[in-house]
Amino acid sequence: MEIVPYNGNTLAYVGDAVFSLQVRNYLVKVKNIQKPKLLQKESVEFVSAKAQAVFITKMIEEGILSDEELSIVKRGRNAKSDSVAKNVDVVTYRIATGFEALWGWLYLSDQLERLEALWQCILNIKEE
């Protein structure tokens, strides 16, 4: 698959929205959570920079990602950003940005089956 010509921050911007929607869909449709406070609490376990850093690190350690996917993660991780990490160290924030960049790239390059496969990996990681 051709790497789309977007920078790491743009990919992360899209990936953040895509991942957030996946999480919300899962919490509402699959787990049937309807209380706003609980939805917020549960979603943080997926969308926080700390959680995303854990997910992507685990996928890398387990050899789940292709070389091309790894290059996208690195593109996002190494992207210069003016935004400051909230409640997390800079390294974790950058790793999470790499995670979001991967999600954005997969979405923008119409690799929806791969996006779903990696989502299943995340659910498995959460169960561990």
Side-chain angles (χ1 to χ4, degrees):
M1 181 69 50
E2 179 185 330
I3 294 178
V4 290
Y6 303 112
N7 68 47
N9 288 325
T10 301
L11 292 173
Y13 174 77
V14 172
D16 177 57
V18 172
F19 188 65
S20 180
L21 186 57
Q22 276 182 305
V23 169
R24 290 171 186 219
N25 185 58
Y26 171 73
L27 295 176
V28 172
K29 280 184 162 179
V30 177
K31 293 193 81 177
N32 197 29
I33 299 172
Q34 296 184 34
K35 295 182 180 179
K37 230 177 189 176
L38 186 54
L39 284 166
Q40 179 59 30
K41 180 181 176 280
E42 292 283 323
S43 70
V44 168
E45 293 182 21
F46 288 93
V47 300
S48 70
K50 208 177 259 189
Q52 291 176 351
V54 167
F55 297 146
I56 199 69
T57 300
K58 202 88 144 141
M59 286 189 270
I60 291 168
E61 287 172 355
E62 294 178 10
I64 292 170
L65 303 180
S66 70
D67 289 343
E68 192 173 28
E69 290 167 343
L70 283 170
S71 75
I72 294 295
V73 170
K74 289 176 185 173
R75 184 192 300 191
R77 184 193 66 202
N78 296 334
K80 293 187 188 239
S81 176
D82 293 333
S83 52
V84 180
K86 295 178 193 167
N87 305 317
V88 72
D89 63 279
V90 174
V91 172
T92 302
Y93 182 76
R94 288 185 164 281
I95 293 169
T97 302
F99 170 89
E100 291 177 338
L102 175 61
W103 246 246
W105 175 70
L106 289 169
Y107 180 80
L108 290 171
S109 58
D110 294 319
Q111 297 184 66
L112 304 183
E113 286 182 20
R114 181 63 174 156
L115 200 56
E116 181 59 29
L118 292 180
W119 170 248
Q120 291 305 316
C121 290
I122 286 172
L123 294 178
N124 291 338
I125 291 167
K126 284 280 295 159
E127 289 177 5
E128 292 176 358

